[in-house]
């Protein structure tokens, strides 16, 4: 989230799409309700009429997989009617930037941008460059009238997204689209703000990143970024998804979003040269110029002062150049026999993974697997699941029970970037994850010490000072506070900074004090300030709100540097006056910023007399050009979003352009990667979603009888019209199938789904939860695990139906739009 949960109450218009916040983020919906009590309008855009939709002022139904089309239509509506915040767009975005004349767009090139290579299925982005003057500074047109400036190119690109065409693609009536557009575009007024609340319904597509980009463009056009009640706000799937991502959950990043080294970056100097951005823009803060400080401090956190920084960099793991180690790729490699072992830690990929049948087959190829979890699950017991013969499976499985989150102390970082400290509620009956990792680290290190091995240096030099050690050198019990302090960082030698002497062993006050010479450590530069001389700032619990806008800056701690709304210097005009004076985020007092922690202490763009302030810096400090990207040249499939159909869809061609699917999405072609589109055997669009009663794949809830009683069975929701066609009655058992697999479900015949009219044809859509699995479906399975359980659930994972394909940028799987059939169970 660029903003935070409480800030939703400051919105004038709330758009919820790609999520069902009322049901899946019910606590967050409290703040939606507060905003509505203050007069805000709520818009729900969803394939299904959800609990969120039932509370909305406006509901519009949309076919899954067509978000860029309807959002692109909103961009056209805003531009055609000049409803954008002109001053914000001019000052704080790259709309005035001029592109090179060689840049071409999908309207010119049959759905492609210039530079496409069909053999490589990728782009040469050299034509996507800005025009520059003799000094290397980007050419700009403040009037934004130059035909090659970003704003004019944006207008040209989305001029094709007419109301008629969008309605035909999405299946949404034109009057409903117009109602949504008119309501949300009102937030282009300087003193009004709108926010977007989205979740996996937008991200789990082959164009997931571009879905978010399209909405970000809308927010920038309307001046909603950096503002109270604005922002682009992702609703995370559980309370620490944000924190785990911050601390390098994904293969391509290190903690704090530093890039994972690749093999060709063979030295620290090469790595820093490649990763540290430079800029010729005179008023850009280019905050990432501090990259060397953050990387040096991370190396010291990992390895202490055991060697010089260059040597420690060599100890870091490297990706092969071009290597893709994302989720889909890992299980594809596993399926092809490239892995011998696998730690399934706090996850259940046999149910959560797209094309789950392939995942289960992949697990058979392993020599061993360690499953760390609270309860038995479909991954740990895959070998005894449906269509499995244990006698033919070589995989040796080790199940390690562990403590629940409420049984251990530590922090969680929520969607709004608030790091909040939790204390142990009850003593756990099993070890914590940290203690299991500690045991593993000690055993591996001991093996290297006693037997040697390939490249032992990284293991033997790993810093591991997380608690008192026994005579054998092993940490007896992991002290979470020491881990948190290491993440914050220490001074490793005496250092004088800005006239203040910091002693060796002092905690670093904030990331502005980190050094590039190896004299400081920090396990994650973004969290530097979370635990410093003031104490554990994540444990703060002040309920004071001096600004009255819900910042509550004394409650917990928020990265970066306790800034509650990022890019907040864009919430003011050139003179530092708030665009929305009745709900200011910050304002310039004449000497300093007041309110939230500003994105840097530089003064406003202009002095009171109207002259340019040479001491200023532009508001978007993380961007080397200093402004936000309406034109985004870093995306794989193009610098502007373009509508492409999902891998599987109900129409034979893309109605927007000749390219049916994302032209750079990676295609899997193995024997278990089948897909069919526009096939009469699978004529129904399907999507998946969560339910309030179960947690993720249900591992933590399906074993609980009261949860299972409330939500006992896998189900499929279908419209009354489709049910009538198929002669299916409410409550009947049905089989839902795709070309990849099938699942049993209970039919819920409902008015929540309605048929769509797409390209003149009727298209039906159905929906299934993904909270079920076979491990809790039979009494004998329960008894075999000695569980006192009276309400077994029914049905297997709906991900047995979903395809092996992902977003072209992130590789997140496309589980929200695919094709199925629904038939009565024989």
């Amino acid at each position: 989230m660029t903003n935070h949960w409480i800030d939703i109450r400051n919105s004038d218009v709330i758009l919820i799409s790609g999520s069902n916040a009322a049901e899946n983020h019910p606590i967050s919906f409290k703040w939606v309700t507060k905003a509505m009590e203050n007069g805000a309008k709520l818009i729900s855009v969803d394939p299904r009429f959800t609990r969120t939709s039932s509370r909305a002022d406006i509901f519009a139904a949309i076919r899954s997989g067509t978000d860029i089309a309807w959002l692109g239509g909103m961009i056209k509506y805003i531009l055609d009617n000049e409803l954008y915040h002109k001053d914000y767009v001019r000052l704080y975005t790259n709309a005035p930037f001029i592109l090179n004349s060689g840049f071409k767009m999908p309207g010119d090139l049959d759905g492609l941008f210039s530079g496409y290579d069909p053999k490589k299925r990728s782009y040469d982005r050299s034509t996507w460059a800005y025009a520059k003057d003799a000094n290397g500074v980007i050419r700009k047109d403040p009037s934004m009238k130059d035909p090659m400036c970003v704003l004019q190119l944006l207008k040209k690109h989305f001029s094709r997204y007419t109301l008629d065409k969008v309605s035909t693609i999405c299946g949404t009536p034109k009057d409903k689209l117009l109602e949504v557009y008119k309501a949300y575009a009102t937030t282009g007024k300087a003193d009004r703000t709108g926010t977007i609340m989205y979740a996996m319904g937008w991200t789990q597509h082959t164009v997931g990143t571009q879905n978010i980009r399209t909405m970000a463009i809308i927010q920038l056009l309307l001046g909603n970024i950096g503002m109270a009640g604005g922002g682009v706000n992702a609703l995370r799937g559980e309370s620490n998804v944000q924190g785990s991502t911050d601390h390098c959950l994904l293969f391509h990043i290190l903690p704090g979003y530093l890039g994972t080294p690749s093999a060709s970056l063979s030295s620290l100097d090469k790595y820093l040269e490649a990763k540290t951005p430079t800029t010729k823009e005179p008023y850009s803060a280019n905050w990432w110029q501090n990259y060397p400080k953050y990387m040096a401090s991370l190396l010291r956190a990992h390895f202490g002062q055991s060697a010089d920084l260059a040597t420690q960099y060599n100890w870091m793991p490297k990706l092969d150049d071009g290597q893709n180690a994302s989720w889909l790729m890992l299980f594809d490699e596993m399926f092809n026999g490239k892995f011998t072992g696998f730690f399934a830690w706090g996850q259940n990929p046999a149910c959560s993974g797209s094309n789950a049948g392939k995942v289960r087959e992949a697990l058979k190829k392993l020599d061993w697997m360690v499953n760390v979890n609270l309860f038995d699950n479909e991954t740990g017991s895959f070998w005894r699941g449906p269509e499995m013969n244990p006698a033919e499976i070589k995989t040796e499985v080790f199940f390690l029970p562990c403590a629940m989150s409420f049984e251990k102390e530590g922090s969680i970082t929520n969607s709004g970037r608030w790091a909040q400290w939790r204390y142990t509620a009850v003593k756990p009956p099993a070890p914590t994850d940290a203690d299991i990792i500690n045991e593993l680290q000690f055993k591996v290190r001991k093996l290297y010490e006693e037997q040697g091995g390939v490249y032992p240096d990284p293991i033997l030099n790993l810093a591991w000072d997380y608690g008192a050690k026994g005579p054998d050198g092993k940490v007896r019990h992991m002290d979470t506070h020491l881990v948190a302090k290491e993440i914050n960082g220490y001074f490793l030698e005496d250092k004088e900074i800005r006239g203040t002497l910091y002693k060796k062993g002092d905690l670093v006050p904030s990331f502005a004090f980190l050094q590039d010479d190896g004299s400081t450590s920090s396990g994650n530069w973004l969290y530097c300030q979370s635990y410093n001389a003031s104490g554990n700032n994540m444990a703060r619990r002040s309920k004071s709100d001096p600004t009255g806008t819900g910042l509550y800056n004394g409650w917990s701690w928020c990265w970066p540097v306790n800034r509650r709304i990022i890019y907040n210097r864009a919430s003011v005009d050139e003179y530092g006056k708030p665009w929305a004076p009745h709900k200011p985020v910050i304002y310039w007092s004449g000497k300093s910023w007041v309110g939230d922690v500003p994105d840097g202490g530089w003064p406003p763009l202009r002095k009171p007399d109207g002259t340019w302030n040479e001491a200023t810096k532009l508001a978007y400090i993380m961007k080397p050009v200093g402004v936000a990207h309406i034109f985004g040249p870093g995306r794989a499939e193009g610098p502007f979003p373009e509508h492409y159909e999902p891998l599987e869809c109900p129409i034979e061609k893309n109605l927007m352009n000749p390219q049916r699917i994302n032209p750079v999405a990676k295609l899997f072609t193995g024997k278990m990667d089948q897909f069919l589109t526009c096939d009469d055997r699978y004529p129904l669009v399907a999507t998946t979603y969560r339910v309030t009663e179960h947690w993720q794949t249900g591992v933590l809830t399906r074993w609980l009888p009261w949860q299972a009683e409330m939500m006992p069975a896998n189900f499929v929701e279908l419209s009354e019209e489709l049910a009538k066609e198929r002669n299916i009655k409410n409550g009947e058992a049905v089989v839902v199938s795709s070309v990849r697999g099938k699942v049993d479900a209970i039919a819920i015949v409902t008015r929540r789904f309605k048929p769509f009219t797409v390209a003149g044809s009727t298209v039906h859509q159905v929906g299934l939860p993904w909270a079920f699995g076979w491990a809790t479906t039979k009494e004998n399975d329960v008894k075999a695990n000695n569980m006192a359980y009276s309400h077994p659930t029914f049905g297997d994972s709906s991900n047995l139906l979903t395809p092996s394909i992902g977003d072209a940028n992130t590789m997140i799987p496309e589980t929200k739009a695919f094709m199925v059939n629904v038939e009565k169970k024989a």
Side-chain angles (χ1 to χ4, degrees):
M1 281 181 157
T2 59
N3 294 41
H4 57 91
W5 290 116
I6 299 172
D7 182 65
I8 294 168
R9 77 183 195 193
N10 295 316
S11 298
D12 295 296
V13 184
I14 300 164
L15 171 58
I16 300 181
S17 187
S19 77
N20 176 15
E23 189 163 3
N24 296 325
H25 295 82
I27 304 304
S28 75
F29 208 77
K30 165 185 177 180
W31 305 110
V32 176
T33 302
K34 289 282 187 184
M36 295 178 75
E37 289 172 355
N38 294 330
K41 295 294 183 183
L42 174 61
I43 303 170
S44 170
V45 179
D46 199 284
R48 179 176 62 127
F49 188 85
T50 65
R51 291 181 186 176
T52 301
S53 309
S54 72
R55 299 295 305 278
D57 298 287
I58 302 170
F59 168 69
I62 179 177
R63 172 171 66 95
S64 284
T66 62
D67 297 285
I68 288 175
W70 81 264
L71 290 171
M74 191 191 301
I75 291 175
K76 175 176 167 56
Y77 177 83
I78 291 167
L79 294 173
D80 287 352
N81 294 283
E82 296 191 1
L83 298 173
Y84 57 97
H85 190 330
K86 294 180 180 63
D87 287 337
Y88 186 105
V89 170
R90 175 177 56 84
L91 293 171
Y92 298 132
T93 79
N94 62 4
F97 288 20
I98 297 173
L99 273 291
N100 282 324
S101 59
F103 174 67
K104 303 296 181 184
M105 298 188 295
D108 307 312
L109 298 175
D110 291 333
L112 298 167
F113 291 91
S114 49
Y116 184 68
D117 185 333
K119 293 182 179 178
K120 296 181 179 178
R121 289 182 57 83
S122 64
Y123 280 101
D124 171 356
R125 305 179 196 176
S126 57
T127 60
W128 305 359
Y130 301 118
K132 297 180 179 179
D133 65 18
N135 296 317
V137 177
I138 297 168
R139 291 178 54 215
K140 305 171 187 72
D141 173 21
S143 73
M144 299 184 289
K145 294 180 179 179
D146 189 293
M148 287 303 292
C149 81
V150 168
L151 184 68
Q152 294 304 320
L153 290 171
L154 185 76
K155 287 182 179 180
K156 180 182 177 182
H157 177 65
F158 283 107
S159 65
R160 300 147 54 235
Y161 287 67
T162 64
L163 205 60
D164 285 337
K165 184 165 286 188
V166 171
S167 177
T168 300
I169 291 171
C170 300
T172 311
K174 289 187 287 185
D175 61 333
K176 275 297 176 185
L177 288 169
L178 203 56
E179 188 179 9
V180 171
Y181 297 168
K182 285 181 177 179
Y184 201 78
T186 63
T187 66
K189 295 179 180 178
D191 63 346
R192 286 176 60 81
T193 51
T195 194
I196 170 63
M197 298 168 66
Y198 73 91
M200 297 300 183
W202 269 12
T203 56
Q204 289 184 344
H205 294 275
T206 47
V207 292
T209 300
Q210 292 286 22
N211 283 341
I212 315 310
R213 276 273 299 138
T214 317
M215 190 66 213
I217 291 172
I218 290 172
Q219 291 296 73
L220 291 170
L221 289 174
L222 298 175
N224 282 330
I225 303 294
M227 299 283 289
V232 175
N233 296 311
L235 312 188
R236 300 300 202 170
E238 55 93 8
S239 59
N240 200 33
V241 170
Q242 185 64 57
S244 60
T245 309
D246 300 339
H247 292 291
C248 74
L249 172 73
L250 305 175
F251 79 96
H252 65 292
I253 54 174
L254 299 174
Y257 302 93
L258 303 175
T260 303
S262 57
S264 62
L265 302 178
S266 55
S267 69
L268 179 59
D269 287 343
K270 288 182 178 179
Y271 172 84
L272 293 176
E273 183 180 3
K275 298 294 184 181
T276 308
T278 58
T279 184
K280 297 287 187 178
E281 299 304 305
Y283 298 103
S284 169
N286 188 23
W287 196 266
W288 275 117
Q289 68 181 295
N290 295 299
Y291 207 110
K293 299 176 182 179
Y294 306 149
M295 186 62 181
S297 297
L298 178 66
L299 291 172
R300 287 301 196 226
H302 283 338
F303 302 112
Q305 293 176 293
S306 55
D308 58 65
L309 292 172
T311 300
Q312 291 180 340
Y313 173 80
N314 292 337
W315 293 341
M316 293 290 286
K318 312 290 192 300
L319 291 168
D320 292 334
D321 286 4
Q323 181 181 358
N324 185 333
S326 61
W327 178 275
L328 288 171
M329 292 299 296
L330 287 177
F331 285 99
D332 188 62
E333 292 283 274
M334 189 187 296
F335 179 80
N336 291 317
K338 302 292 181 66
F339 286 97
T340 56
F342 173 50
F343 280 87
W345 208 306
Q347 59 179 248
N348 187 20
C351 282
S352 65
S354 191
N355 196 356
K358 179 181 178 181
V359 172
R360 296 175 188 186
E361 287 297 313
L363 297 175
K364 292 166 61 175
K365 310 292 182 70
L366 298 168
D367 290 341
W368 57 266
M369 177 174 66
V370 178
N371 183 223
V372 186
N373 220 309
L374 272 71
F375 297 108
D376 187 22
N377 56 79
E378 289 75 15
T379 300
S381 290
F382 80 94
W383 49 273
R384 64 185 188 91
E387 301 179 18
M388 293 287 178
N389 183 353
E392 298 176 353
I393 298 173
K394 66 173 182 174
T395 312
E396 185 176 11
V397 180
F398 303 88
F399 181 76
L400 301 182
C402 64
M404 175 65 176
S405 61
F406 305 112
E407 297 172 330
K408 55 192 176 186
E409 185 176 17
S411 69
I412 61 100
T413 304
N414 71 11
S415 303
R417 298 169 287 106
W418 289 23
Q420 302 179 88
W421 197 261
R422 287 179 172 176
Y423 300 96
T424 303
V426 292
K427 186 177 180 180
T432 65
D433 300 276
D435 282 328
I436 295 174
I437 293 170
N438 178 55
E439 188 74 25
L440 180 65
Q441 186 272 345
F442 177 74
K443 294 289 187 182
V444 171
R445 180 187 179 96
K446 193 171 183 180
L447 284 172
Y448 271 102
E449 288 175 339
E450 295 176 351
Q451 301 178 20
V454 177
Y455 203 34
D457 294 358
I459 299 296
L460 298 182
N461 288 287
L462 197 64
W464 203 265
D465 301 316
Y466 303 128
K469 296 180 179 180
D472 58 358
K474 184 177 75 174
V475 172
R476 292 192 180 100
H477 174 69
M478 293 285 280
D479 186 334
T480 311
H481 288 268
L482 291 178
V483 177
K485 288 179 179 180
E486 181 180 81
I487 290 170
N488 178 87
Y490 294 96
F491 286 99
L492 303 179
E493 57 188 63
D494 293 356
K495 198 80 174 179
E496 184 175 333
I497 302 175
R498 302 170 200 163
T500 300
L501 178 64
Y502 296 92
K503 304 291 288 184
K504 178 179 180 179
D506 287 351
L507 289 161
V508 179
S510 72
F511 58 64
F513 293 81
L514 295 176
Q515 305 295 307
D516 62 5
D517 59 3
S519 61
T520 57
S521 70
S522 176
N524 187 328
W525 71 274
L526 277 175
Y527 283 72
C528 189
Q529 195 192 56
S530 61
Y531 205 131
N532 56 19
S534 300
N536 184 355
N537 293 318
M538 297 174 285
R540 299 183 306 169
R541 292 296 182 266
S542 170
K543 296 181 181 179
S544 174
D545 181 25
T547 66
T549 55
L551 295 177
Y552 291 99
N553 51 15
W555 180 280
S556 72
W557 177 88
C558 178
W559 70 257
V561 292
N562 208 33
R563 184 175 300 131
R564 304 291 161 133
I565 297 177
I566 58 178
Y567 297 124
N568 53 33
R569 284 192 300 121
S571 70
V572 299
D573 65 13
E574 295 169 279
Y575 300 92
K577 297 178 181 178
W579 299 117
H582 62 292
K583 49 181 177 183
V585 183
I586 59 171
Y587 64 90
W588 182 250
S589 70
K591 296 182 179 180
S592 63
W593 295 103
V594 178
D596 194 10
V597 177
D599 278 296
W602 305 285
L605 300 179
R606 294 193 182 276
K607 298 177 180 178
D609 62 4
T611 59
W612 187 260
N613 198 328
E614 293 298 326
T616 194
K617 295 293 181 185
L618 298 170
Y620 282 80
I621 65 173
M622 304 307 292
K623 298 295 184 184
V625 295
V627 294
H629 288 187
I630 287 176
F631 180 87
R635 302 284 69 81
E637 62 274 87
F640 290 135
E642 173 74 347
H643 169 69
Y644 302 109
E645 288 289 328
L647 178 69
E648 295 182 336
C649 68
I651 55 177
E652 293 183 353
K653 62 180 182 179
N654 181 353
L655 301 177
M656 186 61 69
N657 64 66
Q659 309 299 320
R660 191 181 72 81
I661 65 170
N662 188 328
V664 300
K666 177 175 173 53
L667 300 175
F668 292 86
T669 57
K671 64 180 182 180
M672 294 198 71
D673 300 312
Q674 298 179 73
F675 64 92
L676 289 173
T677 191
C678 301
D679 190 293
D680 290 341
R681 290 169 293 178
Y682 305 104
L684 311 175
V685 178
T687 192
T688 63
Y689 39 76
R690 307 180 191 214
V691 292
T692 305
E693 294 81 1
H694 287 300
W695 179 258
Q696 311 283 37
T697 66
V699 171
L700 300 183
T701 50
R702 283 188 273 121
W703 293 104
L704 306 178
W706 47 91
Q707 297 296 120
E709 184 177 7
M710 286 191 291
M711 185 63 71
N714 191 29
F715 61 84
V716 56
E717 291 189 77
L718 64 159
S719 69
E720 293 175 336
E721 293 83 353
L722 178 59
K724 185 177 180 180
E725 281 185 19
R726 300 297 178 92
N727 192 27
I728 295 171
K729 293 182 172 54
N730 190 52
E732 286 188 328
V734 296
V735 176
V736 186
S737 60
S738 74
V739 70
R740 290 161 295 277
K742 59 184 179 181
V743 293
D744 293 337
I746 300 299
I748 295 182
V749 179
T750 176
R751 287 178 289 173
R752 290 190 288 269
F753 274 113
K754 290 287 186 181
F756 294 104
T757 300
V758 177
S761 299
T762 298
V763 172
H764 292 285
Q765 178 154 352
V766 300
L768 306 91
W770 56 276
F772 293 92
W774 61 263
T776 50
T777 60
K778 297 179 182 178
E779 287 283 2
N780 62 335
D781 290 329
V782 175
K783 291 174 182 176
N785 287 277
N786 298 315
M787 298 292 291
Y789 190 79
S790 59
H791 292 282
T793 57
F794 165 81
D796 206 341
S797 173
S798 297
N799 276 316
L800 291 165
L801 308 172
T802 53
S804 292
I805 194 168
D807 172 79
N809 297 277
T810 66
M811 290 291 289
I812 191 170
E814 184 166 68
T815 65
K816 302 308 179 193
F818 53 98
M819 301 303 291
V820 301
N821 195 19
V822 179
E823 300 172 289
K824 276 189 177 183
K825 188 173 176 64

